[in-house]
Amino acid sequence: MMKPDVVLPPMVSYRYPAVGRCIYCGATEYSSDTDRQLAEEHIIPFGLNGDLVIPQASCRACERITGRDDALLLRGMLLAPRIQMAFRSREPRKLPKALPVFSQSNRKTMIDVEDYPSTILMLRYPAPPILSAQKEPLFTDLWVKRFPFDVGKLRRKYGIDDFAPGSHDSYSFKRVLAKIAHGYAVAELGLDGFEAILSERIRDRNDFFHDCVGGAGIEEIPDRLHSLSIEPRGESDFVVVRIHLLCFLGTPVYRVVVGRWL
């Protein structure tokens, strides 16, 4: 159900060397009740067409935690855009054929996916608070991408005259950013190549990562699906990963502090 004004850039596939330890807890086996190898880890979620993979990098317990975080994001605020832009799914037959919209009076109406008024909302943040000595606002701006839809058709077919805009799940989004950043740092620097500060926090489902996740201002729009990089070592001892998801749409850039340089 590709929207006519959206063309996905190609994926960039790469498999890093196997780690042989869980990158979150250090376990060397998938679980105590199986001989299965540690699971591979998609740095960017599979459901966002992420194709940077770390083999033998996650135990079952940590895989379930990070998988839950991915699912909250991919089946929540990004579900409709993912379906309409034809992103991958591990279970494509289970993707919904209709999705709900809510009127300003909170009336729920199911809309066929091909007619759905998709919106992506993201927050722009100041620098990660851990890097700044000053108290920063929680966010600085709201970024919105509205996909085209037929207002007349919504009125004629579904009886809709108004509907509430999309939502942003800050909890799930920041947790997935933290997971992406940690995985990328491990892939590029090695599990022992930096002093990680996020691995234990990723396993804590109550952590919101407000101190380690921030923004990077507005940048040019690269012609690629996603972009990841590690900032050069500067005056700070912190290792910072820059994340630009869906960057071909002009989305905000995020900075995540993943640890300290050794």
Side-chain angles (χ1 to χ4, degrees), residues 113-169:
V113 167
E114 58 266 26
D115 301 328
Y116 196 81
S118 290
T119 302
I120 302 177
L121 303 181
M122 293 185 182
L123 298 177
R124 288 193 175 98
Y125 298 117
I130 197 172
L131 298 178
S132 174
Q134 298 180 348
K135 186 176 181 180
E136 301 282 359
L138 292 179
F139 64 94
T140 59
D141 194 10
L142 177 66
W143 179 91
V144 181
K145 168 64 179 179
R146 293 185 176 89
F147 294 90
F149 61 92
D150 188 334
V151 177
K153 188 173 185 180
L154 290 181
R155 184 179 298 114
R156 295 189 305 272
K157 186 174 179 179
Y158 305 97
I160 293 177
D161 291 315
D162 66 87
F163 56 89
S167 61
H168 177 80
D169 182 352

Side-chain angles (χ1 to χ4, degrees), residues 127-132 174 197-198 201 207-214 255 257:
I130 197 172
L131 298 178
S132 174
K174 282 189 173 184
I197 63 174
L198 296 186
R201 296 176 61 178
D207 201 311
F208 285 73
F209 298 98
H210 290 321
D211 57 330
C212 292
V213 175
R255 302 171 72 209
V257 178

Side-chain angles (χ1 to χ4, degrees), residues 4-217:
D5 69 333
V6 176
V7 178
L8 293 183
M11 295 186 295
V12 178
S13 302
Y14 187 77
R15 293 182 69 85
Y16 288 89
V19 175
R21 283 186 286 164
C22 177
I23 66 174
Y24 305 107
C25 72
T28 57
E29 58 183 8
Y30 184 66
S31 68
S32 59
D33 59 354
T34 179
D35 293 331
R36 174 183 167 181
Q37 288 186 332
L38 291 165
E40 65 180 22
E41 186 73 2
H42 277 78
I43 295 174
I44 295 174
F46 178 89
L48 288 179
N49 284 11
D51 223 12
L52 300 178
V53 178
I54 314 174
Q56 299 180 39
S58 184
C59 70
R60 179 164 64 186
C62 292
E63 182 183 42
R64 286 175 174 173
I65 292 170
T66 58
R68 175 182 179 273
D69 292 334
D70 287 350
L72 287 174
L73 181 68
L74 301 178
R75 299 174 189 171
M77 60 177 269
L78 294 181
L79 178 58
R82 284 180 53 235
I83 295 175
Q84 292 180 329
M85 290 190 290
F87 276 90
R88 295 183 302 182
S89 172
R90 295 191 187 277
E91 298 180 303
R93 294 183 180 181
K94 292 185 178 181
L95 290 174
K97 304 298 183 185
L99 295 166
V101 296
F102 294 87
S103 68
Q104 300 294 343
S105 60
N106 208 35
R107 180 172 67 91
K108 176 181 175 181
T109 304
M110 297 302 294
I111 306 294
D112 294 339
V113 167
E114 58 266 26
D115 301 328
Y116 196 81
S118 290
T119 302
I120 302 177
L121 303 181
M122 293 185 182
L123 298 177
R124 288 193 175 98
Y125 298 117
I130 197 172
L131 298 178
S132 174
Q134 298 180 348
K135 186 176 181 180
E136 301 282 359
L138 292 179
F139 64 94
T140 59
D141 194 10
L142 177 66
W143 179 91
V144 181
K145 168 64 179 179
R146 293 185 176 89
F147 294 90
F149 61 92
D150 188 334
V151 177
K153 188 173 185 180
L154 290 181
R155 184 179 298 114
R156 295 189 305 272
K157 186 174 179 179
Y158 305 97
I160 293 177
D161 291 315
D162 66 87
F163 56 89
S167 61
H168 177 80
D169 182 352
S170 180
Y171 166 80
S172 300
F173 191 67
K174 282 189 173 184
R175 287 190 58 83
V176 171
L177 289 177
K179 187 211 85 164
I180 291 171
H182 175 72
Y184 186 70
V186 169
E188 291 290 324
L189 303 177
L191 193 57
D192 300 316
F194 66 107
E195 181 187 346
I197 63 174
L198 296 186
S199 50
E200 183 175 346
R201 296 176 61 178
I202 289 170
R203 301 199 306 273
D204 178 1
R205 288 178 171 168
N206 296 315
D207 201 311
F208 285 73
F209 298 98
H210 290 321
D211 57 330
C212 292
V213 175

